[in-house]
Structure formats: structure tokens, C-alpha cells
Amino acid sequence: MSLRLGDSAPNFKAKTSKGDIDFYEYLGDSWGILFSHPADYTPVCTTELGKTASLAGEFERRNVKVLALSVDNVESHKSWISDINETQHTTVNFPIIADEDKSIAHAYDMIHPNASETFTVRSLFIIGPDKKVKLMIVYPASTGRNFFEVLRVIDSLQLAANYSVATPADWKEGEDVIIALSVKTEDAAAKFPKGVKVVKPYLRYTPQPNI
């Protein structure tokens, strides 16, 4: 059975560009991003890893740890990282997993035979501190991932986890959020002292509660 939202993210031990890790131990109490690449020295993925590295401060501010994965070996990863640092003008400090036997790729359903029988597709998972899968996205090889969208989703997930709210379409940091249906309207004013705007009984807005 394939991995689904809300499932426990499979734990694993792996060799990486930063040494051996246990996935759960690496995450600790942090949020996590695990994203896969078909192979080292691929052009789109080179830009993606560079962008991720350049956003290190943003991930740290949100208590998010990042891991990348491909089926190549550690020495290949280390050589590729030198190219990434050079061409993307950054420093890759997060681990790249060497999944040579594809055991992690299979556990996370990253092998899609109709796309490639041997390489991982470009999957991205956001994993909560409870080790549950919170988001899954699969990209085609030709389209680079938007890591500002990944940050936006993390902000939304963290708000939902802490404040009984959801975020509307195209929401951005600092904009009003939607009060979860689990909160009764008569209780909303006390729970959200910044104010409550009732559009419909099921559609109620409040200013973002953590700013």
C-alpha cells in the first residue's frame, strides 16, 4: 500500500553526505522535509538543492530539518555538492541520502514505473514532529519545485497545528486565517481576541494569531 497523508513516515537508517543517520533521531522534535531526486548531476535538481541551501535560515526559523535523497552513492553526492555550491553560489549543509538499494525510495513510494523503472521520481514530503506525513507532492522532471510554496505550506501547517485555524486560497504570511469548524462561533471571540469576522456560519476569519 502506498504512503498517504496522516500515515507514519517510515523510519530508516542511511548513509548520507553528512555521515550515517537514523531518520527519526535526525528529526528529533523538529518538522522535516524529505525530497528525492532522480540522480546526481541533473540540472533541475542542482538548482533545487541550491535554492534549498540558500533558504537555510528560513527553514531553521521554522524548526524544519531538510534531507535530500537520490540513488547515487555518498562520494557522488559529495562531488555533486561541490558543483551545486559553485554554480548556485551557496553552501549545501543538509544531508543527501545515498539510497543505492532503493529501500527508502520503495518505502516512500518514490519509484513510479511508468516514469522510470530505476530512478526515484521527484517527491517531496513534509513530516511533522509526530512523525506523521503532512504533505506529499510529486513533480515531473521538467518542472523545478517552488520552495517558497513549501515554506508557505509549512507556515500553514504549523498554524493549524497550534491555533485551530486553516488558511484560505493563496494565503500568505500575515494575512487573515480561517477559524476551524471545530470552534463554535460563540466560543471564537474568547479564543481569538484579535477579532472574528463572520461571513457565513461556516466561514469565519481572524487575524493570524501568532503575529
Side-chain angles (χ1 to χ4, degrees):
M1 182 180 294
S2 61
L3 200 61
R4 297 181 180 181
L5 291 182
D7 288 352
S8 293
N11 193 24
F12 56 82
K13 292 180 170 62
K15 296 184 182 301
T16 82
S17 58
K18 293 291 187 180
D20 294 354
I21 65 163
D22 176 286
F23 183 48
Y24 278 14
E25 289 181 3
Y26 174 79
L27 290 183
D29 295 328
S30 300
W31 291 70
I33 291 175
L34 174 64
F35 64 121
S36 60
H37 306 276
D40 294 352
Y41 304 104
T42 49
V44 174
C45 298
T46 297
T47 65
E48 291 180 330
L49 289 170
K51 174 57 69 173
T52 304
S54 72
L55 292 171
E58 294 297 324
F59 290 116
E60 183 177 0
R61 182 167 69 86
R62 292 164 172 84
N63 190 31
V64 176
K65 293 182 178 178
V66 176
L67 298 97
L69 175 149
S70 90
V71 297
D72 292 308
N73 62 42
V74 167
E75 292 308 312
S76 176
H77 289 349
K78 289 181 178 178
S79 180
W80 185 31
I81 286 170
S82 295
D83 281 2
I84 297 165
N85 291 343
E86 175 191 349
T87 63
Q88 307 305 305
H89 311 292
T90 190
T91 301
V92 174
N93 283 322
F94 53 86
I96 304 179
I97 297 165
D99 189 28
E100 293 182 83
D101 65 359
K102 303 182 182 66
S103 59
I104 302 168
H106 285 295
Y108 280 82
D109 198 29
M110 295 173 178
I111 304 290
H112 293 195
N114 288 331
S116 170
E117 293 185 358
T118 56
F119 294 118
T120 56
V121 295
R122 296 170 59 251
S123 303
L124 185 145
F125 301 85
I126 296 177
I127 297 159
D130 59 359
K131 308 301 185 289
K132 303 290 187 183
V133 176
K134 307 297 184 182
L135 172 135
M136 301 185 298
I137 312 177
V138 179
Y139 288 79
S142 59
T143 304
R145 286 173 267 214
N146 185 332
F147 285 90
F148 293 107
E149 168 64 5
V150 174
L151 289 171
R152 189 188 78 90
V153 172
I154 290 168
D155 288 339
S156 174
L157 288 168
Q158 292 182 344
L159 281 171
N162 294 320
Y163 295 100
S164 300
V165 297
T167 53
D170 295 333
W171 174 86
K172 296 185 292 295
E173 177 82 7
E175 295 179 347
D176 287 357
V177 296
I178 293 171
I179 298 170
L181 291 174
S182 59
V183 179
K184 296 180 180 179
T185 298
E186 55 266 31
D187 299 329
K191 189 173 181 65
F192 300 102
K194 291 183 178 181
V196 174
K197 178 183 177 182
V198 179
V199 179
K200 294 287 185 181
Y202 60 85
L203 182 58
R204 302 155 303 165
Y205 291 90
T206 189
Q208 184 175 326
N210 65 335
I211 58 173

